[in-house]
mmCIF file of all heavy atoms in Angstrom:
data_model
loop_
_atom_site.group_PDB
_atom_site.id
_atom_site.type_symbol
_atom_site.label_atom_id
_atom_site.label_comp_id
_atom_site.label_asym_id
_atom_site.label_seq_id
_atom_site.Cartn_x
_atom_site.Cartn_y
_atom_site.Cartn_z
ATOM 1 N N ALA U 63 -15.595 -5.617 0.121
ATOM 2 C CA ALA U 63 -15.903 -6.442 -1.138
ATOM 3 C C ALA U 63 -17.338 -6.927 -1.173
ATOM 4 O O ALA U 63 -18.016 -6.940 -0.028
ATOM 5 C CB ALA U 63 -14.965 -7.709 -1.143
ATOM 6 N N SER U 64 -17.802 -7.204 -2.301
ATOM 7 C CA SER U 64 -19.200 -7.674 -2.464
ATOM 8 C C SER U 64 -19.270 -8.841 -3.398
ATOM 9 O O SER U 64 -18.482 -9.000 -4.353
ATOM 10 C CB SER U 64 -20.116 -6.595 -2.861
ATOM 11 O OG SER U 64 -19.789 -6.163 -4.141
ATOM 12 N N ARG U 65 -20.282 -9.642 -3.233
ATOM 13 C CA ARG U 65 -20.631 -10.768 -4.149
ATOM 14 C C ARG U 65 -22.125 -10.837 -4.215
ATOM 15 O O ARG U 65 -22.794 -10.590 -3.311
ATOM 16 C CB ARG U 65 -19.921 -12.046 -3.732
ATOM 17 C CG ARG U 65 -20.430 -12.646 -2.450
ATOM 18 C CD ARG U 65 -19.750 -13.961 -2.208
ATOM 19 N NE ARG U 65 -20.339 -14.574 -0.899
ATOM 20 C CZ ARG U 65 -20.173 -14.255 0.294
ATOM 21 N NH1 ARG U 65 -19.305 -13.291 0.564
ATOM 22 N NH2 ARG U 65 -20.792 -14.935 1.377
ATOM 23 N N ARG U 66 -22.543 -11.395 -5.245
ATOM 24 C CA ARG U 66 -24.059 -11.697 -5.491
ATOM 25 C C ARG U 66 -24.274 -13.082 -5.176
ATOM 26 O O ARG U 66 -23.648 -13.915 -5.636
ATOM 27 C CB ARG U 66 -24.420 -11.275 -6.905
ATOM 28 C CG ARG U 66 -25.999 -11.449 -7.132
ATOM 29 C CD ARG U 66 -26.456 -10.761 -8.326
ATOM 30 N NE ARG U 66 -26.511 -9.314 -8.249
ATOM 31 C CZ ARG U 66 -27.226 -8.568 -7.566
ATOM 32 N NH1 ARG U 66 -28.228 -9.087 -6.884
ATOM 33 N NH2 ARG U 66 -27.134 -7.269 -7.610
ATOM 34 N N GLU U 67 -25.321 -13.277 -4.354
ATOM 35 C CA GLU U 67 -25.907 -14.638 -4.054
ATOM 36 C C GLU U 67 -27.391 -14.553 -4.378
ATOM 37 O O GLU U 67 -28.098 -14.078 -3.470
ATOM 38 C CB GLU U 67 -25.589 -15.032 -2.580
ATOM 39 C CG GLU U 67 -24.188 -15.474 -2.345
ATOM 40 C CD GLU U 67 -23.994 -15.914 -0.952
ATOM 41 O OE1 GLU U 67 -24.974 -16.067 -0.228
ATOM 42 O OE2 GLU U 67 -22.882 -16.116 -0.550
ATOM 43 N N GLY U 68 -27.746 -15.080 -5.562
ATOM 44 C CA GLY U 68 -29.163 -14.946 -5.842
ATOM 45 C C GLY U 68 -29.543 -13.562 -6.055
ATOM 46 O O GLY U 68 -28.919 -12.811 -6.910
ATOM 47 N N ARG U 69 -30.552 -13.117 -5.317
ATOM 48 C CA ARG U 69 -30.948 -11.792 -5.448
ATOM 49 C C ARG U 69 -30.341 -10.807 -4.470
ATOM 50 O O ARG U 69 -30.559 -9.617 -4.408
ATOM 51 C CB ARG U 69 -32.525 -11.723 -5.311
ATOM 52 C CG ARG U 69 -33.128 -12.365 -6.529
ATOM 53 C CD ARG U 69 -34.693 -12.512 -6.391
ATOM 54 N NE ARG U 69 -35.267 -11.152 -5.943
ATOM 55 C CZ ARG U 69 -36.468 -11.054 -5.683
ATOM 56 N NH1 ARG U 69 -37.330 -11.989 -5.799
ATOM 57 N NH2 ARG U 69 -36.999 -9.802 -5.169
ATOM 58 N N SER U 70 -29.607 -11.449 -3.526
ATOM 59 C CA SER U 70 -28.852 -10.626 -2.525
ATOM 60 C C SER U 70 -27.509 -10.270 -2.811
ATOM 61 O O SER U 70 -26.791 -10.981 -3.543
ATOM 62 C CB SER U 70 -28.891 -11.479 -1.183
ATOM 63 O OG SER U 70 -30.122 -11.703 -0.703
ATOM 64 N N VAL U 71 -27.019 -9.098 -2.288
ATOM 65 C CA VAL U 71 -25.626 -8.686 -2.432
ATOM 66 C C VAL U 71 -25.056 -8.930 -1.089
ATOM 67 O O VAL U 71 -25.553 -8.433 -0.029
ATOM 68 C CB VAL U 71 -25.423 -7.239 -2.935
ATOM 69 C CG1 VAL U 71 -23.955 -6.877 -2.932
ATOM 70 C CG2 VAL U 71 -26.045 -7.117 -4.251
ATOM 71 N N ILE U 72 -23.978 -9.803 -0.958
ATOM 72 C CA ILE U 72 -23.259 -10.031 0.322
ATOM 73 C C ILE U 72 -22.080 -9.234 0.453
ATOM 74 O O ILE U 72 -21.244 -9.202 -0.565
ATOM 75 C CB ILE U 72 -23.027 -11.461 0.478
ATOM 76 C CG1 ILE U 72 -24.255 -12.403 0.229
ATOM 77 C CG2 ILE U 72 -22.493 -11.840 1.839
ATOM 78 C CD1 ILE U 72 -25.420 -12.184 1.246
ATOM 79 N N TYR U 73 -21.918 -8.360 1.556
ATOM 80 C CA TYR U 73 -20.759 -7.641 1.714
ATOM 81 C C TYR U 73 -19.813 -8.333 2.756
ATOM 82 O O TYR U 73 -20.283 -8.957 3.733
ATOM 83 C CB TYR U 73 -21.103 -6.246 2.174
ATOM 84 C CG TYR U 73 -21.830 -5.515 1.044
ATOM 85 C CD1 TYR U 73 -23.210 -5.568 0.959
ATOM 86 C CD2 TYR U 73 -21.045 -4.726 0.086
ATOM 87 C CE1 TYR U 73 -23.837 -4.885 -0.071
ATOM 88 C CE2 TYR U 73 -21.763 -4.133 -0.911
ATOM 89 C CZ TYR U 73 -23.104 -4.112 -0.996
ATOM 90 O OH TYR U 73 -23.771 -3.568 -2.029
ATOM 91 N N THR U 74 -18.538 -8.243 2.544
ATOM 92 C CA THR U 74 -17.497 -8.694 3.437
ATOM 93 C C THR U 74 -16.503 -7.622 3.587
ATOM 94 O O THR U 74 -16.185 -6.777 2.731
ATOM 95 C CB THR U 74 -16.883 -9.927 2.919
ATOM 96 O OG1 THR U 74 -16.249 -9.769 1.620
ATOM 97 C CG2 THR U 74 -17.910 -11.075 2.752
ATOM 98 N N ALA U 75 -15.680 -7.727 4.704
ATOM 99 C CA ALA U 75 -14.544 -6.913 4.918
ATOM 100 C C ALA U 75 -13.600 -7.391 3.852
ATOM 101 O O ALA U 75 -13.356 -8.626 3.672
ATOM 102 C CB ALA U 75 -13.999 -7.028 6.227
ATOM 103 N N ALA U 76 -12.782 -6.438 3.288
ATOM 104 C CA ALA U 76 -11.725 -6.872 2.329
ATOM 105 C C ALA U 76 -10.458 -6.888 3.285
ATOM 106 O O ALA U 76 -9.694 -6.030 3.437
ATOM 107 C CB ALA U 76 -11.518 -5.727 1.300
ATOM 108 N N TYR U 77 -10.216 -8.160 3.683
ATOM 109 C CA TYR U 77 -9.091 -8.439 4.745
ATOM 110 C C TYR U 77 -7.760 -8.065 4.157
ATOM 111 O O TYR U 77 -6.884 -7.508 4.911
ATOM 112 C CB TYR U 77 -9.249 -9.856 5.177
ATOM 113 C CG TYR U 77 -10.468 -10.213 6.000
ATOM 114 C CD1 TYR U 77 -11.591 -10.734 5.498
ATOM 115 C CD2 TYR U 77 -10.689 -9.663 7.319
ATOM 116 C CE1 TYR U 77 -12.739 -10.997 6.203
ATOM 117 C CE2 TYR U 77 -11.789 -9.891 8.046
ATOM 118 C CZ TYR U 77 -12.830 -10.572 7.433
ATOM 119 O OH TYR U 77 -13.957 -10.889 8.217
ATOM 120 N N ALA U 78 -7.616 -8.334 2.865
ATOM 121 C CA ALA U 78 -6.252 -7.946 2.339
ATOM 122 C C ALA U 78 -5.994 -6.433 2.430
ATOM 123 O O ALA U 78 -4.979 -6.012 2.757
ATOM 124 C CB ALA U 78 -6.224 -8.449 0.856
ATOM 125 N N GLY U 79 -7.072 -5.609 2.070
ATOM 126 C CA GLY U 79 -6.987 -4.218 2.134
ATOM 127 C C GLY U 79 -6.737 -3.737 3.589
ATOM 128 O O GLY U 79 -5.998 -2.795 3.877
ATOM 129 N N LEU U 80 -7.481 -4.406 4.541
ATOM 130 C CA LEU U 80 -7.300 -3.920 5.951
ATOM 131 C C LEU U 80 -5.949 -4.322 6.428
ATOM 132 O O LEU U 80 -5.299 -3.620 7.142
ATOM 133 C CB LEU U 80 -8.403 -4.591 6.776
ATOM 134 C CG LEU U 80 -9.818 -4.092 6.466
ATOM 135 C CD1 LEU U 80 -10.858 -4.945 7.169
ATOM 136 C CD2 LEU U 80 -9.958 -2.520 6.997
ATOM 137 N N SER U 81 -5.391 -5.508 6.028
ATOM 138 C CA SER U 81 -4.085 -5.910 6.379
ATOM 139 C C SER U 81 -3.036 -4.929 5.788
ATOM 140 O O SER U 81 -2.022 -4.597 6.439
ATOM 141 C CB SER U 81 -3.860 -7.358 5.964
ATOM 142 O OG SER U 81 -4.748 -8.221 6.554
ATOM 143 N N ASP U 82 -3.295 -4.650 4.602
ATOM 144 C CA ASP U 82 -2.328 -3.638 3.961
ATOM 145 C C ASP U 82 -2.261 -2.308 4.739
ATOM 146 O O ASP U 82 -1.160 -1.725 4.882
ATOM 147 C CB ASP U 82 -2.645 -3.434 2.552
ATOM 148 C CG ASP U 82 -2.254 -4.636 1.499
ATOM 149 O OD1 ASP U 82 -1.660 -5.490 1.996
ATOM 150 O OD2 ASP U 82 -2.872 -4.601 0.404
ATOM 151 N N LEU U 83 -3.402 -1.824 5.257
ATOM 152 C CA LEU U 83 -3.416 -0.587 5.912
ATOM 153 C C LEU U 83 -2.748 -0.794 7.205
ATOM 154 O O LEU U 83 -1.892 0.158 7.609
ATOM 155 C CB LEU U 83 -4.953 -0.194 6.124
ATOM 156 C CG LEU U 83 -5.030 1.218 6.836
ATOM 157 C CD1 LEU U 83 -4.416 2.259 6.037
ATOM 158 C CD2 LEU U 83 -6.604 1.411 7.009
ATOM 159 N N ILE U 84 -2.936 -1.831 7.934
ATOM 160 C CA ILE U 84 -2.216 -2.087 9.134
ATOM 161 C C ILE U 84 -0.668 -2.157 8.919
ATOM 162 O O ILE U 84 0.125 -1.581 9.633
ATOM 163 C CB ILE U 84 -2.842 -3.343 9.939
ATOM 164 C CG1 ILE U 84 -4.143 -3.054 10.384
ATOM 165 C CG2 ILE U 84 -1.832 -3.831 11.098
ATOM 166 C CD1 ILE U 84 -4.968 -4.309 10.753
ATOM 167 N N ARG U 85 -0.323 -2.860 7.831
ATOM 168 C CA ARG U 85 1.016 -3.091 7.572
ATOM 169 C C ARG U 85 1.650 -1.736 7.190
ATOM 170 O O ARG U 85 2.738 -1.370 7.642
ATOM 171 C CB ARG U 85 1.210 -4.046 6.403
ATOM 172 C CG ARG U 85 2.542 -4.639 6.209
ATOM 173 C CD ARG U 85 2.666 -5.777 5.151
ATOM 174 N NE ARG U 85 1.486 -6.082 4.317
ATOM 175 C CZ ARG U 85 0.590 -7.087 4.615
ATOM 176 N NH1 ARG U 85 0.616 -7.697 5.688
ATOM 177 N NH2 ARG U 85 -0.442 -7.266 3.751
ATOM 178 N N PHE U 86 0.920 -0.833 6.473
ATOM 179 C CA PHE U 86 1.471 0.460 6.173
ATOM 180 C C PHE U 86 1.713 1.280 7.453
ATOM 181 O O PHE U 86 2.775 1.938 7.533
ATOM 182 C CB PHE U 86 0.335 1.187 5.292
ATOM 183 C CG PHE U 86 0.681 2.598 5.099
ATOM 184 C CD1 PHE U 86 1.540 2.924 3.995
ATOM 185 C CD2 PHE U 86 0.267 3.573 5.794
ATOM 186 C CE1 PHE U 86 1.868 4.311 3.615
ATOM 187 C CE2 PHE U 86 0.598 5.046 5.553
ATOM 188 C CZ PHE U 86 1.403 5.224 4.532
ATOM 189 N N LEU U 87 0.792 1.181 8.466
ATOM 190 C CA LEU U 87 1.002 1.874 9.695
ATOM 191 C C LEU U 87 2.193 1.350 10.485
ATOM 192 O O LEU U 87 2.962 2.185 11.034
ATOM 193 C CB LEU U 87 -0.195 1.821 10.570
ATOM 194 C CG LEU U 87 -1.414 2.662 10.030
ATOM 195 C CD1 LEU U 87 -2.642 2.279 10.941
ATOM 196 C CD2 LEU U 87 -1.100 4.119 10.121
ATOM 197 N N MET U 88 2.427 0.082 10.459
ATOM 198 C CA MET U 88 3.436 -0.513 11.216
ATOM 199 C C MET U 88 4.782 -0.604 10.462
ATOM 200 O O MET U 88 5.793 -1.020 11.193
ATOM 201 C CB MET U 88 2.985 -2.036 11.568
ATOM 202 C CG MET U 88 1.695 -2.122 12.396
ATOM 203 S SD MET U 88 1.720 -1.368 14.012
ATOM 204 C CE MET U 88 2.764 -2.507 14.725
ATOM 205 N N ARG U 89 4.801 -0.322 9.326
ATOM 206 C CA ARG U 89 6.072 -0.539 8.521
ATOM 207 C C ARG U 89 7.261 0.140 9.126
ATOM 208 O O ARG U 89 8.378 -0.505 9.236
ATOM 209 C CB ARG U 89 5.926 -0.012 7.154
ATOM 210 C CG ARG U 89 7.069 -0.291 6.212
ATOM 211 C CD ARG U 89 6.897 0.262 4.805
ATOM 212 N NE ARG U 89 5.603 -0.125 4.227
ATOM 213 C CZ ARG U 89 4.896 0.578 3.409
ATOM 214 N NH1 ARG U 89 5.160 1.774 3.156
ATOM 215 N NH2 ARG U 89 3.707 0.108 3.016
ATOM 216 N N ASP U 90 7.230 1.297 9.616
ATOM 217 C CA ASP U 90 8.356 2.057 10.099
ATOM 218 C C ASP U 90 8.230 2.254 11.632
ATOM 219 O O ASP U 90 9.054 3.053 12.154
ATOM 220 C CB ASP U 90 8.436 3.375 9.417
ATOM 221 C CG ASP U 90 8.564 3.332 7.880
ATOM 222 O OD1 ASP U 90 9.295 2.445 7.492
ATOM 223 O OD2 ASP U 90 7.947 3.954 7.091
#
Side-chain angles (χ1 to χ4, degrees):
S64 65
R65 68 181 186 279
R66 184 162 291 283
E67 285 186 6
R69 292 176 44 184
S70 297
V71 178
I72 306 298
Y73 291 92
T74 59
Y77 294 101
L80 291 167
S81 295
D82 286 347
L83 184 58
I84 292 167
R85 201 170 7 265
F86 176 84
L87 287 173
M88 301 294 292
R89 183 180 310 145
D90 302 319

